[in-house]
C-alpha cells in the first residue's frame, strides 16, 4: 500500500527566496504610472468587448492610449536622463 504524504514542506521550503528584492520593488514603483495607464487602456477595451463601440467609447480608448504612450515616454525620459553621465538629459 502506498502512503499519501503532503508536499507542503517541499512547496513552501523556498518561500523566503521567492520574495521580490528591493531593486525589483523599486523598478515596479518606477513603472507604476505605465502599469496604471495600461490598466486604464485595458479597461477601455474591455468595456467594448460585448457591444459595438460608440463615439464615446472610441474617445475613451484614444485618451487611454495617449495616456499610456505619454507614461511610457515619461518613463523612458527618466531612465535615459538618469543613466547619462554628468546628469545631462
Amino acid at each position: 500500500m502506498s502512503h499519501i504524504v503532503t508536499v507542503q514542506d517541499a512547496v513552501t521550503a523556498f518561500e523566503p527566496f521567492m520574495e521580490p528584492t528591493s531593486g525589483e520593488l523599486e523598478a515596479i514603483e518606477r513603472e507604476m504610472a505605465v502599469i496604471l495607464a495600461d490598466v486604464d487602456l485595458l479597461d477601455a477595451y474591455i468595456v467594448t468587448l460585448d457591444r459595438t463601440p460608440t463615439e464615446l467609447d472610441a474617445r475613451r480608448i484614444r485618451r487611454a492610449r495617449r495616456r499610456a504612450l505619454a507614461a511610457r515616454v515619461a518613463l523612458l525620459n527618466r531612465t535615459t536622463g538618469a543613466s547619462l553621465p554628468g546628469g545631462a538629459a
Side-chain angles (χ1 to χ4, degrees):
M1 177 179 197
S2 154
H3 293 287
I4 298 174
V5 293
T6 62
V7 293
Q8 184 69 27
D9 291 334
V11 171
T12 59
F14 301 105
E15 189 173 311
F17 301 108
M18 296 175 71
E19 293 295 321
T21 64
S22 61
E24 291 170 336
L25 290 174
E26 289 172 8
I28 291 170
E29 196 64 35
R30 277 192 308 270
E31 296 175 6
M32 189 54 68
V34 173
I35 293 168
L36 293 175
D38 285 344
V39 168
D40 288 342
L41 180 58
L42 286 172
D43 285 343
Y45 282 130
I46 288 170
V47 167
T48 63
L49 283 178
D50 61 346
R51 65 174 189 218
T52 304
T54 63
E55 180 59 33
L56 185 63
D57 293 330
R59 278 191 245 157
R60 182 177 182 213
I61 290 171
R62 282 193 306 266
R63 261 193 317 267
R65 189 178 297 138
R66 281 194 304 266
R67 274 188 252 130
L69 289 173
R72 289 177 188 277
V73 167
L75 176 66
L76 182 63
N77 287 338
R78 278 194 309 264
T79 56
T80 302
S83 65
L84 289 176

